[in-house]
Amino acid sequence: LQKLVNETFQKLWFTPTLHHDKEAMTRKILNITDVVAACRDTGYDWFEQLLQNLLKSEEDASYKPVKKACTQLVDNLVEHILKYEESLSDSDNKGVNSGRLVACITTLFLFSKIRPQLMVKHAMTMQPYLTTKCSTQNDFMVICNVAKILELVVPLMEHPSETFLATIEEDLMKLIIKYGMTVVQHCVSCLGAVVNKVTQNYKFVWACFNRYYGALSKLKSQHQEDPNSTILTANKPALLRSLFTVGALCRHFDFDQEDFKGNSKVNIKDKVLELLMYFTKHSDEEVQTKAIIGLGFAFIQHPSLMFEQEVKTLYNSILSDKNCSVNLKIQVLKNLQTYLQEEDTRMQQADRDWKKVAKQEDLKEMGDISSGMSSSIMQLYLKQVLEAFFHTQSSVRHFALNVIALTLNQGLIHPVQ
């Protein structure tokens, strides 16, 4: 069946179109983007798998029709978006990002995920979409997908212009400061790729980090002086944003590197841990949740923090306490899930890099160090995660199941446990 599906789609979508047949190309574009739009809720794994399989099947061939078809599709999708923009500027419904535009950009992201090289020449064309005026769900989808494309593509560009890179950094920073969690997450992730792999503009990120870290420290001292102060109530949105953003930045940047903090002796990761831990004991559940989300992000950069006694106590008491809120339980499980997924991605990347280097080193050792860490971490929380399996709320059971499944798939614990 899989063979049949692959062959069908290869004929429909991944066979090169004759250059002069514009109509056939447009039909193909509309067709693919319709399907991508229809899968918005069910996910795109099948598309990625299909693309992966088809490109792999011709890797060793001298003639690569699928690769050629993909290049055509990507180039025409970009052209289609630009034409669409022109038609909008001539009409009255300016600034309306339709489902079609979202589908086109999402499709480009799916291609970038499998073959980012295809998008390298279009990176400059995509960048202005970071300045999309955001009012509808579609606008946010455009921004998040463009950030995800640039994150994959910018590091592959040869000698990108300084202005282009500076503009991306500025655009991302404006979005991080202005919009909600999803946008912040994708933009910080994109900034991570641009700064860590390309521009090394650490001062820029350090200034942003200090802005939010400073705000948190100040809010902490105010809260210590008077937990019921009205200033705190007024500053709650700032507090929530700072908890989330500090965490998101710590996930993608290691602020203890000299590049960031210079020769300061302060241990940033411990300071961040202390700040976030303080707000997990706050009386407001929304504040607690954001602090736990921030911790989850920080643990991806520094998994060893999960061995800290206070973290073990926090996670395990939330998971095993019958009276603890469902939202907090779910958030702790989500944190463990994201950590395991990230570890898995890291391992796969290390595996790919290693295969390129060929057979000189002993791969088993390299992977084992990292999986040794995740394995010890899961041993700490396993009992409580298994208990969450029997929670009355199905959403808690669902996330507990995800964590257990990831743990077993990665062979981190013996199934009998």
Side-chain angles (χ1 to χ4, degrees):
L1 182 68
Q2 188 177 7
K3 192 167 178 237
L4 181 69
V5 171
N6 282 358
E7 283 169 5
T8 310
F9 277 105
Q10 182 162 3
K11 284 200 183 80
L12 281 174
W13 290 353
F14 299 107
T15 304
T17 308
L18 296 168
H19 279 296
H20 55 266
D21 197 347
K22 274 289 178 213
E23 248 173 66
M25 197 66 225
T26 306
R27 267 201 315 275
K28 217 189 232 187
I29 296 278
L30 294 174
N31 190 327
I32 291 184
T33 49
D34 278 341
V35 173
V36 166
C39 294
R40 193 160 156 172
D41 300 327
T42 50
Y44 306 108
D45 289 354
W46 63 273
F47 186 88
E48 292 172 28
Q49 216 36 69
L50 175 73
L51 202 50
Q52 203 75 299
N53 294 343
L54 291 175
L55 286 162
K56 205 175 174 69
S57 67
E58 60 173 34
E59 250 171 18
D60 306 321
S62 52
Y63 173 56
K64 298 183 171 17
V66 177
K67 191 178 170 193
K68 185 176 178 190
C70 287
T71 309
Q72 280 184 347
L73 284 167
V74 166
D75 295 351
N76 280 281
L77 273 163
V78 172
E79 202 176 307
H80 194 83
I81 291 173
L82 294 173
K83 279 210 185 96
Y84 175 79
E85 285 285 290
E86 277 168 33
S87 70
L88 269 190
S89 58
D90 300 337
S91 68
D92 298 332
N93 52 356
K94 252 200 180 69
V96 182
N97 277 323
S98 74
R100 172 74 61 198
L101 179 66
V102 175
C104 284
I105 290 182
T106 307
T107 310
L108 285 174
F109 164 62
L110 295 173
F111 276 110
S112 308
K113 211 171 162 182
I114 307 300
R115 280 289 180 280
Q117 295 83 353
L118 294 171
M119 277 298 289
V120 168
K121 63 178 180 188
H122 302 298
M124 313 262 307
T125 314
M126 299 316 291
Q127 175 267 319
Y129 288 91
L130 287 176
T131 58
T132 304
K133 292 266 179 297
C134 279
S135 47
T136 66
Q137 184 59 34
N138 280 342
D139 300 336
F140 287 113
M141 301 262 309
V142 166
I143 281 195
C144 291
N145 278 306
V146 169
K148 290 194 287 191
I149 291 171
L150 292 171
E151 174 178 344
L152 294 164
V153 172
V154 173
L156 301 178
M157 295 171 75
E158 284 185 35
H159 315 298
S161 86
E162 299 283 324
T163 341
F164 167 69
L165 294 170
T167 311
I168 287 188
E169 289 178 339
E170 292 291 342
D171 290 345
L172 291 169
M173 194 57 80
K174 283 178 191 149
L175 292 164
I176 290 166
I177 290 166
K178 188 169 178 188
Y179 292 113
M181 290 197 294
T182 314
V183 173
V184 170
Q185 233 169 317
H186 291 304
C187 290
V188 171
S189 188
C190 182
L191 192 64
V194 173
V195 172
N196 290 326
K197 296 176 184 171
V198 188
T199 66
Q200 269 89 46
N201 190 355
Y202 300 116
K203 279 199 176 63
F204 185 67
V205 180
W206 180 240
C208 175
F209 170 74
N210 272 308
R211 172 180 179 163
Y212 288 108
Y213 174 81
L216 270 188
S217 303
K218 197 170 157 191
L219 290 161
K220 179 188 166 188
S221 350
Q222 285 171 348
H223 185 260
Q224 278 170 320
E225 278 165 35
D226 176 12
N228 304 318
S229 124
T230 48
I231 305 175
L232 284 171
T233 325
N235 281 332
K236 185 176 157 183
L239 172 57
L240 295 176
R241 175 174 283 279
S242 300
L243 289 166
F244 186 86
T245 311
V246 161
L249 287 163
C250 287
R251 173 179 181 169
H252 294 283
F253 299 97
D254 180 359
F255 290 109
D256 280 307
Q257 286 179 349
E258 212 173 291
D259 297 319
F260 290 106
K261 64 175 189 180
N263 49 18
S264 152
K265 290 283 172 277
V266 178
N267 187 321
I268 303 290
K269 71 172 190 291
D270 292 350
K271 285 278 180 212
V272 168
L273 178 67
E274 186 190 323
L275 265 180
L276 293 173
M277 284 301 297
Y278 178 81
F279 287 105
T280 61
K281 300 173 185 58
H282 199 279
S283 55
D284 183 331
E285 190 186 304
E286 215 182 335
V287 174
Q288 285 177 298
T289 308
K290 282 287 189 293
I292 292 171
I293 292 176
L295 283 172
F297 285 154
F299 297 159
I300 291 171
Q301 176 74 251
H302 301 290
S304 59
L305 292 174
M306 280 189 266
F307 295 115
E308 295 288 332
Q309 191 52 54
E310 51 178 341
V311 175
K312 286 193 289 196
T313 310
L314 174 77
Y315 270 22
N316 284 335
S317 64
I318 288 176
L319 289 175
S320 52
D321 180 1
K322 297 273 182 290
N323 305 318
C324 188
S325 104
V326 167
N327 288 337
L328 296 182
K329 285 185 196 296
I330 289 177
Q331 194 49 58
V332 167
L333 291 166
K334 275 185 180 169
N335 281 4
L336 291 171
Q337 178 184 326
T338 310
Y339 163 68
L340 290 170
Q341 284 165 335
E342 284 286 308
E343 269 308 303
D344 194 38
T345 312
R346 246 183 262 188
M347 303 277 276
Q348 285 174 8
Q349 187 54 49
D351 198 29
R352 280 197 294 273
D353 294 347
W354 182 83
K355 281 189 175 121
K356 280 180 200 157
V357 176
K359 317 285 178 272
Q360 296 144 359
E361 306 164 42
D362 179 4
L363 175 67
K364 187 131 181 55
E365 269 179 38
M366 193 177 63
D368 280 353
I369 300 167
S370 175
S371 63
M373 172 80 100
S374 353
S375 178
S376 337
I377 287 171
M378 287 322 296
Q379 296 288 354
L380 294 178
Y381 301 111
L382 188 64
K383 181 171 164 281
Q384 283 73 14
V385 173
L386 286 169
E387 281 168 17
F389 228 29
F390 301 106
H391 196 274
T392 48
Q393 289 269 357
S394 63
S395 47
V396 176
R397 296 198 298 272
H398 168 80
F399 284 106
L401 179 64
N402 287 355
V403 173
I404 302 288
L406 283 162
T407 309
L408 286 170
N409 281 342
Q410 293 176 35
L412 300 178
I413 50 168
H414 194 287
V416 177
Q417 280 182 278

